[in-house]
Amino acid sequence: MFEPVLLKNINMPDSYKLTSYMSSGGYQALKKALEMTPDSLIQMVKDSGLRGRGGAGFSTGLKWSFIPKDPTLQKYLCCNADEGEPGTFKDRAIIEYDPHQLIEGMVIASYAIGADTSYIYIRGEFSLGADRLEDAIKEAYQKNYLGKNILGTKFSHDIYVHRGAGAYICGEETALLESIEGRRALPRIKPPFPAHVGLFGKPTVINNVETLACIPHIVNRGAAWFASIGPAKSPGPKLFGISGSVNKPGLYELPMGTPLREIIFTHAGGIRPGKKLKAVIPGGVSAPMLTEKDLDTPMDFDSLAAKGTMLGSGAVVVIDDSMCIVKAALITHEFFHHESCGKCTPCREGLDWIVKVMRRIEHGQGKEGDMELLKKLCVDIFGRTFCPLGDGAVMALRGAFNNFTEEFEYHIKNKRCMVNGNR
Amino acid sequence: MLSEAAANEIKEIRKRYATARSCIMPCLYVVQREYGYITEEGMREIAKILGVQPVLVFEVSTFYTMYNKKPVGKYHVQVCTNISCSILDGEHIVDVISRKLGIKVKETTPDKKFTLSTVECLGSCGTAPMMQINDKYYENLNDAKVEDILNGLR
Ligand SMILES: Cc1cc2nc3c(=O)[nH]c(=O)nc-3n(C[C@H](O)[C@H](O)[C@H](O)COP(=O)(O)O)c2cc1C
Ligand code: SF4
Ligand code: FES
């Protein structure tokens, strides 16, 4: 059995309090890190092979190394706790049950890049989580893990919590910066990248909660230890959130690269009684769905990319044979349509059109030629949007089409659902 | 008028950010708490205290869905109907609540106690189907549980 790393404290009583965190070796990594040079810390994180857990899988150490070394420049760290990708509920567990693990990771990361201030951007609905973070931050100040001259060193750091207010696009890193700056969250053009021009125009690193939570463990147990878990190019412990039609939905921490079949059937207890597996979304709804034939795919960035999908947030959504794929795709696209920020035309208008066509198909009013129309809309949107939201929506729809063409066609031809006959 | 406590809270918020504009989002929450929803008066007060153009506050308030531009009931019942909840029949939960309260989605009961909404994924998919009432999450719902929860709020 894999010994949990990120979730090791989660079942302790009052796990979110400093006393609990200290009892399992909390803030030892911070002490160690402050004795290292920032450069050697960055090298350590590079050597660990850690790749961002927010979805894109970019090397964390490399991202940190892009920050200019000029000590006179103000720099920022932003923790992305927006967690809005449907199916995803991993960061919330860390935030609510082990906030100090995140805070420790943030202080170390800030020391490595030379940031004296950081913000945690947390989605507005996570009210309990935001309160727990604020309490934990207060506790950390009292012990001088935050504040002026941390643990007697020259390094000082402040953390603030910024609550979002219901907009999925704020998870996109540049939209997140706009939101902290108090604007409508419209993504920014890149370049310049946030490492050079980020929050308030200053060099900024944006990292996911789970990414930052890995940092204390890398410092404590070494880069080689981290790199030895899972596939060489995509190593480390990984949180998988499993939801949908399984017997034991929930959050599981497993080595990166654990096969999808093992996650669903061994850990999550298999498919609910009387149902059969029909499709699996492997990484949040932006990730194209897989089917039975793909179940032996290792769950890591590269293996899933090779299958034309992605690890994304590691959110595994299991769909059974009583669910209509047209309906699943409609739910997904209603979501993207609702969350499109409206900045660019292909996404704003294209998703509106896609949703209109999908609604009529789902409601038994599909027309001949609708499939072709949807496919053409996908071509018109893909690669032409300002940020990856539009592309994600298209990829998800193509995934549904490619695997379940006949369900869409049946809906259009017979004006009703293939799965739930009379609807 | 905002209470003195609220005005002070805004001044405290101002200390956390490099620019006045950054304070708009947290300040809108203060206004929402004070008035029950986002009022034009409240937005103008924020603008005045922060020293920014009112339009900058208005444009933020309309972008984000958690700022209520209309009054909502004492209890805002928000049921997730995104994918994981839908697989476990979140729509049925919506129906149960709708029947029990005698209102449709987006409506408020005549006594102003309950407003019913459907929402996108709330990050609680492993405990689907679920809903949020005001700040609190209610998970692994079924008919009996929903019944109990709503009775408890009466
Ligand atoms: C539409 C959209 C939504 C996103 N939502 C999130 C999110 O909720 N949480 C997150 O950490 N990253 C999200 N990302 C990815 C971030 O832009 C960014 O890559 C990530 O926070 C970087 O952190 P990492 O390197 O630690 O993964 C989103 C990206 C896009 C395009
Ligand atoms: S792709 Fe969609 S979400 Fe992204 S900038 Fe364009 S309109 Fe906004
Ligand atoms: S899909 Fe309902 S909480 Fe995520």
Side-chain angles (χ1 to χ4, degrees):
Chain A
M1 253 245 334
F2 181 66
E3 180 90 24
V5 178
L6 301 168
L7 298 184
K8 78 174 154 68
N9 295 334
I10 229 114
N11 295 320
M12 273 203 252
D14 292 338
S15 62
Y16 52 92
K17 293 202 172 138
L18 183 63
T19 43
S20 301
Y21 190 58
M22 297 307 285
S23 74
S24 74
Y27 290 103
Q28 292 304 319
L30 176 61
K31 286 195 188 113
K32 234 166 134 175
L34 291 173
E35 285 162 12
M36 294 169 66
T37 63
D39 279 344
S40 56
L41 255 177
I42 294 178
Q43 190 58 46
M44 183 180 212
V45 174
K46 268 190 199 166
D47 293 343
S48 76
L50 172 62
R51 294 169 65 176
R53 306 309 199 217
F58 192 81
S59 157
T60 305
L62 196 58
K63 189 186 266 190
W64 293 3
S65 73
F66 295 151
I67 294 289
K69 305 282 177 217
D70 180 354
T72 64
L73 270 181
Q74 163 90 55
K75 298 160 197 113
Y76 292 103
L77 173 75
C78 291
C79 167
N80 192 341
D82 196 48
E83 188 147 86
E85 180 76 19
T88 315
F89 51 95
K90 65 187 182 75
D91 297 338
R92 179 173 155 230
I94 295 176
I95 292 164
E96 288 182 1
Y97 293 101
D98 204 354
H100 283 287
Q101 184 179 204
L102 172 60
I103 293 168
E104 184 173 18
M106 287 180 70
V107 183
I108 298 171
S110 299
Y111 172 70
I113 63 167
D116 67 2
T117 306
S118 57
Y119 291 95
I120 302 175
Y121 189 98
I122 182 164
R123 63 178 295 183
E125 294 88 345
F126 286 178
S127 184
L128 173 67
D131 291 347
R132 290 226 167 131
L133 277 171
E134 280 172 350
D135 291 344
I137 288 169
K138 264 187 220 138
E139 287 183 314
Y141 272 106
Q142 279 161 11
K143 294 280 188 231
N144 194 215
Y145 300 132
L146 277 174
K148 293 254 167 308
N149 301 106
I150 295 173
L151 303 176
T153 63
K154 281 194 215 133
F155 180 64
S156 301
H157 192 74
D158 292 310
I159 298 184
Y160 301 101
V161 175
H162 186 91
R163 296 177 194 227
Y168 166 69
I169 194 60
C170 293
E172 194 284 329
E173 56 185 19
T174 61
L176 180 148
L177 299 177
E178 287 290 299
S179 189
I180 299 181
E181 291 186 14
R183 290 184 239 270
R184 298 166 78 86
L186 310 184
R188 296 178 182 171
I189 191 131
K190 293 191 254 189
F193 287 92
H196 292 117
V197 184
L199 188 64
F200 305 121
K202 303 289 192 281
T204 303
V205 163
I206 299 120
N207 273 142
N208 171 258
V209 171
E210 187 187 348
T211 310
L212 290 163
C214 288
I215 302 298
H217 305 287
I218 294 173
V219 172
N220 272 334
R221 299 165 77 166
W225 160 79
F226 193 89
S228 74
I229 300 168
K233 290 195 170 141
S234 202
K238 177 77 193 95
L239 301 181
F240 295 103
I242 302 144
S243 66
S245 197
V246 289
N247 287 315
K248 293 194 290 170
L251 193 60
Y252 295 87
E253 181 175 9
L254 298 165
M256 191 74 99
T258 303
L260 192 48
R261 186 186 301 280
E262 182 186 327
I263 294 180
I264 297 173
F265 289 93
T266 309
H267 301 286
I271 311 301
R272 288 160 70 92
K275 306 277 161 88
K276 268 174 50 198
L277 183 140
K278 180 169 181 177
V280 188
I281 301 173
V285 293
S286 306
M289 52 179 68
L290 298 171
T291 57
E292 180 79 42
K293 67 183 184 321
D294 308 305
L295 288 184
D296 294 313
T297 312
M299 289 286 285
D300 63 71
F301 291 109
D302 305 316
S303 306
L304 285 163
K307 289 269 174 193
T309 182
M310 56 186 186
L311 180 65
S313 56
V316 179
V317 182
V318 179
I319 298 174
D320 68 49
D321 55 347
S322 65
M323 181 84 171
C324 161
I325 294 296
V326 179
K327 183 178 174 197
L330 177 61
I331 291 170
T332 306
H333 287 77
E334 295 269 14
F335 168 77
F336 285 123
H337 172 240
H338 183 255
E339 300 299 337
S340 165
C341 81
K343 178 167 177 150
C344 64
T345 315
C347 170
R348 184 188 61 237
E349 304 300 326
L351 294 183
D352 191 57
W353 199 346
I354 284 187
V355 164
K356 277 192 189 127
V357 178
M358 300 257 299
R359 271 187 205 142
R360 74 176 179 238
I361 297 177
E362 165 71 4
H363 296 127
Q365 288 142 10
K367 299 180 200 160
E368 210 183 309
D370 274 354
M371 285 293 278
E372 292 68 28
L373 176 57
L374 285 175
K375 283 182 187 157
K376 176 163 186 317
L377 284 167
C378 286
V379 172
D380 290 344
I381 297 171
F382 194 76
R384 295 186 170 86
T385 61
F386 196 87
C387 88
L389 184 144
D391 283 352
V394 168
M395 278 165 29
L397 186 55
R398 283 180 173 160
F401 271 166
N402 294 344
N403 286 304
F404 298 96
T405 315
E406 72 288 358
E407 278 194 35
F408 285 85
E409 283 169 350
Y410 189 95
H411 254 270
I412 296 172
K413 217 177 270 154
N414 300 288
K415 314 284 181 205
R416 62 191 163 87
C417 181
M418 193 167 147
V419 181
N420 300 297
N422 35 23
R423 273 202 287 158
Chain B
M1 271 282 281
L2 285 173
S3 64
E4 202 184 309
N8 284 336
E9 200 179 333
I10 292 182
K11 284 175 198 146
E12 278 304 307
I13 290 170
R14 183 65 189 86
K15 294 182 190 155
R16 304 208 300 253
Y17 295 97
T19 69
R21 210 167 162 176
S22 279
C23 308
I24 294 173
M25 287 183 70
C27 289
L28 283 167
Y29 276 124
V30 175
V31 163
Q32 180 145 301
R33 228 184 313 126
E34 285 276 299
Y35 295 96
Y37 67 109
I38 303 288
T39 60
E40 185 179 331
E41 184 199 354
M43 289 195 281
R44 290 195 184 277
E45 288 179 273
I46 293 176
K48 199 157 158 215
I49 302 175
L50 294 178
V52 300
Q53 291 294 326
V55 63
L56 301 186
V57 183
F58 300 162
E59 66 165 23
V60 169
S61 80
T62 54
F63 186 85
Y64 299 91
T65 55
M66 285 175 67
Y67 298 128
N68 299 317
K69 267 67 75 179
K70 294 192 312 217
V72 292
K74 181 173 169 205
Y75 299 109
H76 191 184
V77 181
Q78 311 188 64
V79 189
C80 173
T81 49
N82 210 305
I83 189 78
S84 309
C85 288
S86 183
I87 292 171
L88 300 182
D89 220 356
E91 283 91 347
H92 172 70
I93 302 295
V94 178
D95 288 344
V96 171
I97 300 172
S98 175
R99 245 180 288 133
K100 166 110 183 145
L101 298 178
I103 50 172
K104 293 209 244 351
V105 174
K106 293 190 185 154
E107 290 180 353
T108 300
T109 51
D111 63 1
K112 309 246 184 315
K113 256 209 162 139
F114 294 96
T115 300
L116 175 60
S117 304
T118 55
V119 290
E120 300 298 355
C121 175
L122 289 169
S124 190
C125 330
T127 42
M130 63 81 62
M131 65 178 169
Q132 181 176 23
I133 303 180
N134 298 349
D135 282 347
K136 207 167 169 237
Y137 278 26
Y138 297 87
E139 304 168 299
N140 294 314
L141 298 176
N142 54 41
D143 292 36
K145 235 171 151 175
V146 169
E147 183 81 20
D148 277 356
I149 293 164
L150 293 180
N151 286 339
L153 297 174
R154 280 273 169 193

